[in-house]
Amino acid sequence: MNHFYYIHGVLNAEGTIVAELALQYGTPLYIYSAKTLIQHYDAVDNAFAGVPHITCYSVKANSNIALLHLLARRGAGADIVSGGELFRALRAGIPAERIVFSGVGKTSKEIREALHAGILMFNVESLMELERISEVAQQLKTTARVSLRINPDVDPNTHPYISTGLRENKFGIPMEDALEAYELAAKLPGIEVVGIDCHIGSQLTQLAPLLDALERLLHLYHQLTAKGFAIRYLDIGGGLGITYDTEEPPHPKEWGAAVAKALEGLDITLITEPGRVIAGNAGILVTEVLYTKHNKDKLFVVVDAGMNDLMRPTLYGAYHRIHVATEIYKRPMVKADIVGPICESGDFLAKDREIPVVFPRNFLVIFSAGAYGMSMSSQYNSRPRAAEVLVHGEFHTLIRRRETYEDLIAAEEPCLDEMIRDDLEHIERILR
Ligand SMILES: *Cc1c(COP(=O)(O)O)cnc(C)c1O
Protein backbone atom coordinates (compact mmCIF):
# COMPACT_ATOMS: atom_id res chain seq x y z
CA MET A 1 0.00 0.00 0.00
CA ASN A 2 1.49 3.36 -1.00
CA HIS A 3 0.32 6.77 -2.15
CA PHE A 4 2.11 7.05 -5.49
CA TYR A 5 -0.46 6.56 -8.23
CA TYR A 6 -1.19 7.57 -11.82
CA ILE A 7 -4.19 9.73 -12.70
CA HIS A 8 -4.74 9.79 -16.48
CA GLY A 9 -1.09 8.91 -16.97
CA VAL A 10 0.24 11.55 -14.56
CA LEU A 11 2.09 10.28 -11.49
CA ASN A 12 0.92 11.79 -8.21
CA ALA A 13 2.52 11.59 -4.79
CA GLU A 14 -0.50 11.89 -2.49
CA GLY A 15 -2.13 15.08 -3.82
CA THR A 16 0.93 16.45 -5.60
CA ILE A 17 2.10 16.01 -9.20
CA VAL A 18 5.54 14.40 -9.28
CA ALA A 19 6.71 16.11 -12.49
CA GLU A 20 5.88 19.52 -10.98
CA LEU A 21 8.07 18.78 -7.97
CA ALA A 22 10.86 17.71 -10.32
CA LEU A 23 10.56 21.00 -12.23
CA GLN A 24 10.50 23.03 -9.03
CA TYR A 25 13.38 21.33 -7.21
CA GLY A 26 15.37 19.84 -10.07
CA THR A 27 16.57 16.26 -10.44
CA PRO A 28 17.73 13.81 -9.21
CA LEU A 29 15.05 14.21 -6.55
CA TYR A 30 13.91 11.90 -3.77
CA ILE A 31 10.21 12.26 -2.99
CA TYR A 32 8.64 10.68 0.10
CA SER A 33 4.99 10.25 1.02
CA ALA A 34 4.36 11.06 4.70
CA LYS A 35 1.10 9.15 4.69
CA THR A 36 2.77 6.03 3.32
CA LEU A 37 5.62 6.19 5.82
CA ILE A 38 3.25 6.52 8.78
CA GLN A 39 0.90 3.81 7.49
CA HIS A 40 3.81 1.41 7.15
CA TYR A 41 5.08 2.26 10.62
CA ASP A 42 1.58 1.77 12.05
CA ALA A 43 1.19 -1.55 10.23
CA VAL A 44 4.30 -2.91 11.95
CA ASP A 45 3.61 -1.32 15.33
CA ASN A 46 -0.03 -2.47 15.38
CA ALA A 47 1.00 -5.98 14.34
CA PHE A 48 2.61 -6.37 17.76
CA ALA A 49 -0.12 -4.54 19.72
CA GLY A 50 -0.91 -7.74 21.61
CA VAL A 51 2.46 -7.87 23.38
CA PRO A 52 4.49 -5.25 25.26
CA HIS A 53 6.82 -3.97 22.56
CA ILE A 54 8.99 -1.17 21.17
CA THR A 55 9.22 -0.63 17.42
CA CYS A 56 12.80 0.55 16.88
CA TYR A 57 12.97 1.92 13.33
CA SER A 58 16.26 0.99 11.70
CA VAL A 59 17.79 4.40 11.04
CA LYS A 60 20.20 3.23 8.33
CA ALA A 61 17.31 2.49 5.97
CA ASN A 62 16.61 6.22 5.67
CA SER A 63 18.12 8.60 8.16
CA ASN A 64 16.67 11.97 7.11
CA ILE A 65 15.86 13.72 10.38
CA ALA A 66 12.49 14.97 9.12
CA LEU A 67 11.39 11.38 8.54
CA LEU A 68 12.87 10.35 11.90
CA HIS A 69 10.94 13.20 13.50
CA LEU A 70 7.65 12.00 11.98
CA LEU A 71 8.33 8.50 13.30
CA ALA A 72 9.34 9.87 16.70
CA ARG A 73 6.02 11.70 16.95
CA ARG A 74 4.30 8.41 16.19
CA GLY A 75 6.10 6.83 19.15
CA ALA A 76 8.89 5.01 17.33
CA GLY A 77 12.19 4.05 18.91
CA ALA A 78 15.37 3.64 16.89
CA ASP A 79 17.85 0.94 16.02
CA ILE A 80 21.18 2.63 15.37
CA VAL A 81 24.52 1.33 14.10
CA SER A 82 26.80 4.34 14.65
CA GLY A 83 27.41 7.46 16.71
CA GLY A 84 26.23 9.49 13.75
CA GLU A 85 22.88 7.70 13.77
CA LEU A 86 22.62 8.27 17.54
CA PHE A 87 23.16 11.98 16.90
CA ARG A 88 20.46 12.00 14.21
CA ALA A 89 17.95 10.01 16.27
CA LEU A 90 18.33 12.24 19.34
CA ARG A 91 18.20 15.41 17.26
CA ALA A 92 14.98 14.15 15.64
CA GLY A 93 13.38 13.73 19.04
CA ILE A 94 13.57 9.96 19.53
CA PRO A 95 13.93 9.39 23.28
CA ALA A 96 17.20 7.74 24.33
CA GLU A 97 15.31 5.14 26.33
CA ARG A 98 13.83 3.84 23.06
CA ILE A 99 17.16 3.49 21.27
CA VAL A 100 19.09 0.24 20.78
CA PHE A 101 22.63 0.22 19.40
CA SER A 102 23.60 -2.62 17.00
CA GLY A 103 26.67 -3.24 14.84
CA VAL A 104 29.91 -5.28 14.94
CA GLY A 105 32.36 -2.40 15.24
CA LYS A 106 31.30 0.08 17.90
CA THR A 107 34.21 2.33 18.89
CA SER A 108 34.96 3.42 22.47
CA LYS A 109 33.90 6.92 21.51
CA GLU A 110 30.54 5.71 20.21
CA ILE A 111 30.02 3.55 23.30
CA ARG A 112 30.76 6.56 25.52
CA GLU A 113 28.31 8.74 23.58
CA ALA A 114 25.56 6.14 23.84
CA LEU A 115 26.10 5.67 27.58
CA HIS A 116 26.13 9.39 28.03
CA ALA A 117 22.81 9.69 26.21
CA GLY A 118 21.33 6.85 28.29
CA ILE A 119 20.20 4.52 25.51
CA LEU A 120 18.04 1.51 26.29
CA MET A 121 20.69 -1.10 25.41
CA PHE A 122 23.59 -2.24 23.31
CA ASN A 123 23.19 -5.26 21.06
CA VAL A 124 26.61 -6.81 21.57
CA GLU A 125 28.19 -8.83 18.80
CA SER A 126 31.39 -10.29 20.31
CA LEU A 127 33.15 -11.07 23.58
CA MET A 128 35.76 -8.39 23.00
CA GLU A 129 33.04 -5.81 22.45
CA LEU A 130 31.43 -6.91 25.71
CA GLU A 131 34.68 -6.29 27.56
CA ARG A 132 35.15 -2.94 25.85
CA ILE A 133 31.65 -1.77 26.81
CA SER A 134 32.24 -2.89 30.39
CA GLU A 135 35.51 -0.90 30.51
CA VAL A 136 33.96 2.26 29.09
CA ALA A 137 30.95 1.98 31.41
CA GLN A 138 33.25 1.64 34.42
CA GLN A 139 35.20 4.70 33.35
CA LEU A 140 31.89 6.59 33.29
CA LYS A 141 30.93 5.02 36.63
CA THR A 142 27.81 3.48 35.20
CA THR A 143 26.62 0.13 33.90
CA ALA A 144 25.57 -0.64 30.35
CA ARG A 145 22.41 -2.59 29.62
CA VAL A 146 23.14 -5.20 26.97
CA SER A 147 21.56 -7.89 24.85
CA LEU A 148 23.81 -10.36 23.12
CA ARG A 149 23.23 -10.63 19.41
CA ILE A 150 23.01 -14.32 18.71
CA ASN A 151 23.68 -15.73 15.28
CA PRO A 152 21.04 -18.45 15.02
CA ASP A 153 22.51 -19.98 11.83
CA VAL A 154 19.32 -19.93 9.78
CA ASP A 155 19.29 -19.28 6.05
CA PRO A 156 17.03 -16.31 5.35
CA ASN A 157 16.89 -17.07 1.59
CA THR A 158 17.87 -13.58 0.54
CA HIS A 159 20.74 -11.92 -1.30
CA PRO A 160 24.10 -12.99 0.21
CA TYR A 161 25.09 -9.35 0.91
CA ILE A 162 22.01 -8.82 3.08
CA SER A 163 22.00 -12.20 4.81
CA THR A 164 23.37 -11.80 8.33
CA GLY A 165 22.21 -14.79 10.38
CA LEU A 166 24.36 -17.55 8.88
CA ARG A 167 27.42 -18.96 10.60
CA GLU A 168 29.58 -17.66 7.74
CA ASN A 169 28.41 -14.03 8.29
CA LYS A 170 30.38 -11.65 10.48
CA PHE A 171 27.37 -10.81 12.64
CA GLY A 172 26.51 -11.97 16.15
CA ILE A 173 27.77 -14.62 18.54
CA PRO A 174 27.37 -18.25 17.40
CA MET A 175 24.50 -20.03 19.16
CA GLU A 176 26.80 -22.72 20.55
CA ASP A 177 28.93 -20.06 22.29
CA ALA A 178 25.92 -18.16 23.64
CA LEU A 179 25.71 -19.60 27.17
CA GLU A 180 29.39 -19.05 27.77
CA ALA A 181 29.10 -15.47 26.50
CA TYR A 182 26.18 -14.77 28.86
CA GLU A 183 28.16 -16.17 31.78
CA LEU A 184 31.10 -13.93 30.93
CA ALA A 185 28.76 -10.94 30.58
CA ALA A 186 27.29 -11.61 34.03
CA LYS A 187 30.78 -11.43 35.57
CA LEU A 188 31.74 -8.12 33.97
CA PRO A 189 31.39 -5.19 36.37
CA GLY A 190 30.17 -2.61 33.82
CA ILE A 191 27.50 -4.82 32.26
CA GLU A 192 23.87 -5.49 33.06
CA VAL A 193 22.48 -8.31 30.92
CA VAL A 194 18.88 -7.58 30.00
CA GLY A 195 18.08 -9.29 26.74
CA ILE A 196 18.62 -11.53 23.74
CA ASP A 197 18.91 -10.14 20.22
CA CYS A 198 19.10 -11.37 16.65
CA HIS A 199 18.72 -10.02 13.12
CA ILE A 200 19.06 -12.56 10.35
CA GLY A 201 18.95 -10.53 7.16
CA SER A 202 17.01 -8.15 4.97
CA GLN A 203 14.37 -8.27 2.24
CA LEU A 204 12.99 -11.54 3.68
CA THR A 205 9.97 -12.68 1.72
CA GLN A 206 9.09 -15.67 3.91
CA LEU A 207 8.21 -15.90 7.59
CA ALA A 208 9.78 -19.31 8.15
CA PRO A 209 13.38 -18.13 8.67
CA LEU A 210 12.22 -15.38 11.07
CA LEU A 211 10.19 -17.88 13.07
CA ASP A 212 12.98 -20.48 13.04
CA ALA A 213 15.32 -17.87 14.48
CA LEU A 214 12.74 -16.90 17.11
CA GLU A 215 12.34 -20.53 18.14
CA ARG A 216 16.09 -20.86 18.64
CA LEU A 217 16.18 -17.64 20.64
CA LEU A 218 13.36 -18.88 22.88
CA HIS A 219 15.24 -22.11 23.50
CA LEU A 220 18.17 -19.99 24.68
CA TYR A 221 15.80 -17.80 26.71
CA HIS A 222 14.60 -20.83 28.69
CA GLN A 223 18.15 -22.04 29.26
CA LEU A 224 19.15 -18.59 30.52
CA THR A 225 16.18 -18.08 32.83
CA ALA A 226 16.80 -21.56 34.27
CA LYS A 227 20.30 -20.34 35.14
CA GLY A 228 18.89 -17.29 36.89
CA PHE A 229 19.38 -14.63 34.19
CA ALA A 230 16.69 -11.93 34.26
CA ILE A 231 15.99 -11.61 30.54
CA ARG A 232 13.51 -8.75 30.06
CA TYR A 233 13.88 -7.97 26.37
CA LEU A 234 13.73 -10.09 23.26
CA ASP A 235 14.87 -8.28 20.11
CA ILE A 236 13.93 -10.11 16.92
CA GLY A 237 15.52 -7.60 14.52
CA GLY A 238 14.03 -6.37 11.26
CA GLY A 239 14.28 -7.74 7.78
CA LEU A 240 10.72 -8.01 6.52
CA GLY A 241 10.76 -7.65 2.74
CA ILE A 242 8.79 -5.40 0.41
CA THR A 243 7.45 -5.64 -3.12
CA TYR A 244 9.98 -4.25 -5.59
CA ASP A 245 8.76 -6.37 -8.49
CA THR A 246 6.62 -9.47 -8.01
CA GLU A 247 7.67 -10.47 -4.48
CA GLU A 248 4.81 -11.28 -2.11
CA PRO A 249 6.27 -10.81 1.35
CA PRO A 250 4.09 -11.62 4.37
CA HIS A 251 2.05 -8.76 5.87
CA PRO A 252 3.45 -7.50 9.20
CA LYS A 253 0.17 -8.78 10.73
CA GLU A 254 1.17 -12.36 9.96
CA TRP A 255 4.61 -11.81 11.49
CA GLY A 256 3.02 -10.21 14.57
CA ALA A 257 0.47 -12.96 15.06
CA ALA A 258 3.07 -15.72 14.83
CA VAL A 259 5.42 -13.91 17.22
CA ALA A 260 2.64 -13.16 19.74
CA LYS A 261 1.74 -16.86 19.76
CA ALA A 262 5.34 -17.90 20.34
CA LEU A 263 5.70 -15.42 23.24
CA GLU A 264 2.48 -16.40 25.01
CA GLY A 265 2.87 -16.45 28.78
CA LEU A 266 6.36 -14.91 28.78
CA ASP A 267 7.02 -11.78 30.81
CA ILE A 268 9.07 -10.02 28.20
CA THR A 269 9.20 -6.80 26.15
CA LEU A 270 9.57 -7.42 22.46
CA ILE A 271 11.78 -5.22 20.30
CA THR A 272 11.61 -5.12 16.51
CA GLU A 273 13.98 -3.25 14.18
CA PRO A 274 12.08 -2.70 10.92
CA GLY A 275 13.68 -0.49 8.29
CA ARG A 276 12.94 -1.33 4.67
CA VAL A 277 9.30 -2.32 5.31
CA ILE A 278 8.62 1.18 6.69
CA ALA A 279 10.62 3.41 4.34
CA GLY A 280 11.11 1.36 1.14
CA ASN A 281 7.84 1.98 -0.65
CA ALA A 282 7.37 5.42 0.92
CA GLY A 283 9.92 6.95 -1.47
CA ILE A 284 10.72 7.36 -5.15
CA LEU A 285 13.68 8.78 -7.03
CA VAL A 286 12.93 11.07 -9.98
CA THR A 287 15.56 11.48 -12.67
CA GLU A 288 15.68 13.34 -15.98
CA VAL A 289 16.57 11.68 -19.26
CA LEU A 290 19.69 13.37 -20.68
CA TYR A 291 20.37 11.36 -23.84
CA THR A 292 19.55 8.14 -25.58
CA LYS A 293 22.19 6.32 -27.55
CA HIS A 294 22.56 3.15 -29.59
CA ASN A 295 25.74 1.10 -29.38
CA LYS A 296 25.27 -1.53 -32.08
CA ASP A 297 21.87 -3.06 -31.26
CA LYS A 298 21.85 -1.94 -27.65
CA LEU A 299 19.86 1.07 -26.48
CA PHE A 300 21.14 3.14 -23.56
CA VAL A 301 19.07 5.72 -21.76
CA VAL A 302 21.43 8.10 -19.99
CA VAL A 303 19.82 9.80 -16.98
CA ASP A 304 20.99 12.34 -14.42
CA ALA A 305 20.84 9.93 -11.44
CA GLY A 306 23.69 7.51 -10.93
CA MET A 307 25.00 4.84 -8.60
CA ASN A 308 26.04 7.60 -6.19
CA ASP A 309 22.35 8.50 -5.81
CA LEU A 310 20.94 4.95 -5.74
CA MET A 311 23.48 2.22 -5.20
CA ARG A 312 21.24 -0.83 -4.86
CA PRO A 313 21.23 -1.89 -8.53
CA THR A 314 25.03 -1.70 -8.64
CA LEU A 315 25.65 -3.23 -5.22
CA TYR A 316 23.09 -6.04 -5.22
CA GLY A 317 21.90 -6.21 -8.81
CA ALA A 318 18.64 -5.06 -7.20
CA TYR A 319 15.49 -4.56 -9.25
CA HIS A 320 13.58 -1.27 -9.05
CA ARG A 321 10.43 -0.68 -11.04
CA ILE A 322 10.97 2.24 -13.45
CA HIS A 323 8.35 4.19 -15.38
CA VAL A 324 7.84 7.61 -16.93
CA ALA A 325 6.43 10.30 -14.63
CA THR A 326 3.96 11.37 -17.31
CA GLU A 327 2.40 9.22 -20.01
CA ILE A 328 -0.52 11.09 -21.49
CA TYR A 329 -0.35 9.15 -24.73
CA LYS A 330 0.55 5.47 -24.97
CA ARG A 331 4.21 5.13 -25.90
CA PRO A 332 5.69 2.12 -27.67
CA MET A 333 7.87 -0.10 -25.46
CA VAL A 334 11.60 -0.57 -25.99
CA LYS A 335 14.30 -2.53 -24.21
CA ALA A 336 17.11 -0.42 -22.76
CA ASP A 337 19.84 -0.17 -20.17
CA ILE A 338 19.14 2.80 -17.95
CA VAL A 339 22.50 4.22 -16.94
CA GLY A 340 23.89 7.14 -14.96
CA PRO A 341 26.63 9.67 -15.71
CA ILE A 342 29.28 8.08 -13.47
CA CYS A 343 32.53 6.81 -14.93
CA GLU A 344 31.98 3.17 -13.97
CA SER A 345 30.54 0.37 -16.06
CA GLY A 346 28.70 -0.70 -12.91
CA ASP A 347 26.76 2.56 -12.97
CA PHE A 348 23.30 1.42 -14.00
CA LEU A 349 19.78 1.64 -12.61
CA ALA A 350 18.35 -1.14 -14.79
CA LYS A 351 19.56 -3.52 -17.46
CA ASP A 352 17.64 -4.88 -20.46
CA ARG A 353 14.52 -3.22 -19.14
CA GLU A 354 11.26 -2.81 -21.06
CA ILE A 355 10.31 0.86 -20.75
CA PRO A 356 8.20 3.28 -22.78
CA VAL A 357 10.18 5.20 -25.39
CA VAL A 358 11.69 8.28 -23.76
CA PHE A 359 13.25 11.51 -24.94
CA PRO A 360 15.59 14.05 -23.38
CA ARG A 361 13.89 16.08 -20.65
CA ASN A 362 11.38 13.32 -19.86
CA PHE A 363 11.28 12.34 -16.20
CA LEU A 364 11.76 8.72 -15.20
CA VAL A 365 10.63 7.49 -11.80
CA ILE A 366 12.48 4.80 -9.89
CA PHE A 367 10.05 3.26 -7.45
CA SER A 368 10.66 1.68 -4.02
CA ALA A 369 13.67 3.95 -3.42
CA GLY A 370 12.76 5.11 0.10
CA ALA A 371 15.05 2.64 1.90
CA TYR A 372 18.78 2.26 1.31
CA GLY A 373 18.57 4.94 -1.39
CA MET A 374 19.58 8.36 -0.06
CA SER A 375 21.16 6.79 3.04
CA MET A 376 23.65 4.91 0.84
CA SER A 377 24.33 7.84 -1.47
CA SER A 378 27.74 9.43 -1.91
CA GLN A 379 29.39 12.33 -3.69
CA TYR A 380 31.41 10.03 -5.97
CA ASN A 381 32.49 11.86 -9.12
CA SER A 382 32.01 15.06 -7.08
CA ARG A 383 28.29 14.98 -7.58
CA PRO A 384 26.38 17.02 -4.99
CA ARG A 385 23.82 14.79 -3.30
CA ALA A 386 20.18 14.94 -4.41
CA ALA A 387 17.46 16.98 -2.73
CA GLU A 388 14.70 15.30 -0.70
CA VAL A 389 11.07 16.40 -0.57
CA LEU A 390 8.34 15.21 1.78
CA VAL A 391 4.82 15.25 0.41
CA HIS A 392 1.85 15.44 2.78
CA GLY A 393 -1.44 15.66 0.91
CA GLU A 394 -1.37 18.68 -1.40
CA PHE A 395 1.53 20.12 0.56
CA HIS A 396 5.20 19.43 0.30
CA THR A 397 8.30 20.37 2.25
CA LEU A 398 11.93 20.37 1.21
CA ILE A 399 13.55 18.18 3.88
CA ARG A 400 17.07 18.23 2.46
CA ARG A 401 18.27 20.91 0.10
CA ARG A 402 20.31 19.86 -2.90
CA GLU A 403 24.00 19.97 -2.04
CA THR A 404 26.11 22.66 -3.69
CA TYR A 405 29.64 22.65 -5.09
CA GLU A 406 30.64 24.52 -1.93
CA ASP A 407 29.31 21.58 0.12
CA LEU A 408 31.62 19.29 -1.82
CA ILE A 409 34.74 21.02 -0.52
CA ALA A 410 33.48 22.48 2.77
CA ALA A 411 35.52 20.06 4.89
CA GLU A 412 38.64 20.41 2.72
CA GLU A 413 38.88 24.10 2.03
CA PRO A 414 39.92 25.27 5.52
CA CYS A 415 42.70 22.67 5.43
CA LEU A 416 43.90 23.89 2.04
CA ASP A 417 43.85 27.47 3.30
CA GLU A 418 45.97 26.44 6.25
CA MET A 419 48.39 24.57 4.00
CA ILE A 420 48.85 27.60 1.79
CA ARG A 421 49.16 29.97 4.73
CA ASP A 422 51.83 27.86 6.40
CA ASP A 423 53.77 27.81 3.13
CA LEU A 424 55.08 24.37 4.03
CA GLU A 425 58.76 24.27 3.29
CA HIS A 426 59.11 20.52 2.95
CA ILE A 427 56.34 20.44 0.35
CA GLU A 428 58.17 23.17 -1.57
CA ARG A 429 61.24 20.94 -1.50
CA ILE A 430 59.33 17.98 -2.99
CA LEU A 431 57.90 20.19 -5.71
CA ARG A 432 61.31 21.48 -6.74
C1 LIG B 1 19.81 -3.20 8.70
C2 LIG B 1 19.34 -3.70 10.03
C3 LIG B 1 17.97 -3.74 10.33
C4 LIG B 1 16.89 -3.34 9.37
O1 LIG B 1 16.74 -4.24 8.33
P1 LIG B 1 15.53 -4.05 7.30
O2 LIG B 1 15.69 -5.17 6.35
O3 LIG B 1 15.67 -2.73 6.67
O4 LIG B 1 14.26 -4.17 8.08
C5 LIG B 1 17.61 -4.14 11.61
N1 LIG B 1 18.54 -4.53 12.52
C6 LIG B 1 19.86 -4.51 12.24
C7 LIG B 1 20.82 -4.94 13.29
C8 LIG B 1 20.30 -4.11 10.99
O5 LIG B 1 21.61 -4.11 10.73
Side-chain angles (χ1 to χ4, degrees), residues 1 34 38 47 64 184 186 217 240 266 293 326 361 373 375 403:
M1 178 66 187
I38 293 304
N64 185 295
L184 170 72
L217 248 53
L240 202 61
L266 300 185
K293 64 188 254 180
T326 311
R361 284 189 273 282
S375 62
E403 288 182 359

Side-chain angles (χ1 to χ4, degrees), residues 29-340:
L29 180 68
Y30 276 100
I31 300 176
Y32 307 108
S33 153
K35 208 191 255 183
T36 309
L37 185 83
I38 293 304
Q39 276 181 2
H40 289 173
Y41 170 78
D42 285 352
V44 178
D45 194 53
N46 292 338
F48 296 98
V51 290
H53 73 283
I54 308 177
T55 304
C56 291
Y57 169 69
S58 175
V59 172
K60 74 178 191 290
N62 189 317
S63 47
N64 185 295
I65 56 171
L67 303 188
L68 295 180
H69 178 70
L70 280 187
L71 293 170
R73 282 176 50 174
R74 205 64 168 181
D79 168 44
I80 58 165
V81 292
S82 71
E85 287 189 354
L86 174 64
F87 177 78
R88 283 179 176 275
L90 293 172
R91 198 53 81 79
I94 295 176
E97 63 270 17
R98 298 172 80 76
I99 295 178
V100 299
F101 192 168
S102 306
V104 290
K106 304 173 190 82
T107 64
S108 298
K109 175 173 175 281
E110 289 174 320
I111 294 165
R112 213 173 298 125
E113 290 162 356
L115 284 171
H116 210 260
I119 66 163
L120 177 58
M121 73 181 81
F122 294 88
N123 290 331
V124 177
E125 305 224 9
S126 67
L127 300 187
M128 278 200 195
E129 184 194 332
L130 204 48
E131 285 169 356
R132 178 72 63 87
I133 293 175
S134 177
E135 267 171 41
V136 177
Q138 276 184 288
Q139 284 160 8
L140 296 182
K141 302 201 178 355
T142 182
T143 52
R145 285 176 294 275
V146 306
S147 285
L148 299 195
R149 177 166 175 182
I150 302 304
N151 184 328
D153 196 26
V154 297
D155 187 351
N157 293 322
T158 186
H159 190 284
Y161 286 11
I162 46 179
S163 144
T164 56
L166 275 172
R167 198 189 299 268
E168 69 204 51
N169 299 126
K170 69 176 175 182
F171 296 100
I173 296 166
M175 187 56 104
E176 59 268 30
D177 302 339
L179 281 179
E180 221 175 306
Y182 272 93
E183 267 154 21
L184 170 72
K187 290 196 196 102
L188 289 173
I191 297 288
E192 182 194 355
V193 176
V194 296
I196 310 174
D197 167 54
C198 83
H199 170 74
I200 61 169
S202 201
Q203 185 51 13
L204 310 182
T205 53
Q206 297 157 338
L207 274 189
L210 285 166
L211 299 180
D212 277 358
L214 176 58
E215 196 177 311
R216 291 179 197 199
L217 248 53
L218 285 175
H219 181 70
L220 176 62
Y221 169 82
H222 289 298
Q223 287 179 303
L224 288 172
T225 42
K227 283 181 180 290
F229 282 91
I231 302 295
R232 293 183 276 141
Y233 295 95
L234 194 66
D235 184 334
I236 58 173
L240 202 61
I242 62 168
T243 303
Y244 284 99
D245 184 12
T246 54
E247 303 93 330
E248 290 179 355
H251 191 277
K253 252 192 285 197
E254 297 169 52
W255 187 27
V259 169
K261 189 149 169 262
L263 296 188
E264 228 166 54
L266 300 185
D267 181 17
I268 214 156
T269 298
L270 180 78
I271 294 175
T272 59
E273 303 171 347
R276 189 189 309 269
V277 70
I278 292 177
N281 276 320
I284 59 175
L285 174 61
V286 187
T287 183
E288 185 180 317
V289 175
L290 298 174
Y291 309 107
T292 58
K293 64 188 254 180
H294 287 270
N295 286 4
K296 290 263 164 53
D297 45 3
K298 211 169 168 77
L299 172 63
F300 291 94
V301 174
V302 184
V303 299
D304 69 356
M307 61 182 273
N308 73 301
D309 300 300
L310 181 66
M311 198 187 190
R312 298 189 68 258
T314 301
L315 186 59
Y316 313 121
Y319 177 98
H320 284 264
R321 197 156 63 81
I322 298 181
H323 200 62
V324 285
T326 311
E327 191 179 35
I328 24 202
Y329 55 94
K330 194 78 204 153
R331 306 175 187 225
M333 300 296 282
V334 288
K335 194 178 258 189
D337 281 13
I338 299 161
V339 301

